[in-house]
Amino acid sequence: MTVLVGIAIFVGIVGIVVPILPGAILSLAAILVWAIFEHSATGWIVFAITVVLIGASQVVKYVVPERRLREAGVPRRSMIVGVLLGIVGFFVIPVVGMFIGFPVGVYISELQRLRTHAAAWTSTKHALKETGVSMLIELIGTSLAAALWLVAVLFVV
């Protein structure tokens, strides 16, 4: 059982970097299943702390990049167009289409808004950088939760 939970947590972490699965939620669900089967105070304390870690990372992963994109002058509309084209790209070109569709969508939206290649490309680079920051924040929160679970499994339980 513990091995399956560990595998699910690992798959969740991979899902953050390759956004096909809801990574943080999968990892949190795996730790919840472990806490239920563990049926101890330690299990529930670990789960409660992981809820805080993952929950905080979910909030921060939107707040920090959004603020920085606003400061760089990249409108929310361009990000939405990028996400929509990323979704389309995911189905048109399996696996890598999302990574192609998102920047193309942001670039097209920004080119339409700013009218110059240089300005649109600068905005696209800001969007890509902040998307990476968002993923990194979620990865850190989920990795800390996974590390806490692993410490509890190896040394406490």
Side-chain angles (χ1 to χ4, degrees), residues 10-82:
F10 177 75
V11 169
I13 290 172
V14 170
I16 293 168
V17 179
V18 182
I20 296 172
L21 300 169
I25 302 303
L26 179 60
S27 295
L28 185 63
I31 294 170
L32 172 61
V33 168
W34 172 79
I36 290 169
F37 280 98
E38 184 59 36
H39 200 51
S40 69
T42 302
W44 290 111
I45 291 169
V46 167
F47 176 69
I49 294 170
T50 59
V51 166
V52 171
L53 289 169
I54 292 174
S57 73
Q58 294 300 301
V59 171
V60 173
K61 84 173 192 171
Y62 291 111
V63 172
V64 170
E66 175 75 21
R67 180 179 44 83
R68 292 168 77 178
L69 284 169
R70 219 175 318 119
E71 290 170 0
V74 180
R76 185 176 288 145
R77 178 188 78 125
S78 295
M79 295 299 290
I80 291 170
V81 171

Side-chain angles (χ1 to χ4, degrees), residues 77-78 81 85 103-113 120 124:
R77 178 188 78 125
S78 295
V81 171
L85 264 141
V104 168
V106 173
Y107 177 79
I108 289 170
S109 180
E110 287 297 279
L111 186 60
Q112 181 272 326
R113 181 177 76 92
T124 303

Side-chain angles (χ1 to χ4, degrees), residues 69 72-74 106-107 110-111 113-114 116-129:
L69 284 169
V74 180
V106 173
Y107 177 79
E110 287 297 279
L111 186 60
R113 181 177 76 92
L114 299 171
T116 67
H117 163 73
W121 182 240
T122 299
S123 291
T124 303
K125 288 190 293 187
H126 282 295
L128 288 171
K129 178 182 169 197

Side-chain angles (χ1 to χ4, degrees), residues 71-150:
E71 290 170 0
V74 180
R76 185 176 288 145
R77 178 188 78 125
S78 295
M79 295 299 290
I80 291 170
V81 171
V83 168
L84 292 175
L85 264 141
I87 292 169
V88 169
F90 176 76
F91 290 105
V92 173
I93 309 169
V95 181
V96 297
M98 181 175 8
F99 301 107
I100 296 169
F102 175 75
V104 168
V106 173
Y107 177 79
I108 289 170
S109 180
E110 287 297 279
L111 186 60
Q112 181 272 326
R113 181 177 76 92
L114 299 171
R115 305 280 184 216
T116 67
H117 163 73
W121 182 240
T122 299
S123 291
T124 303
K125 288 190 293 187
H126 282 295
L128 288 171
K129 178 182 169 197
E130 295 311 317
T131 300
V133 167
S134 177
M135 289 171 65
L136 183 62
I137 291 167
E138 184 175 14
L139 181 64
I140 289 169
T142 305
S143 295
L144 288 172
L148 175 65
W149 171 81
L150 188 59

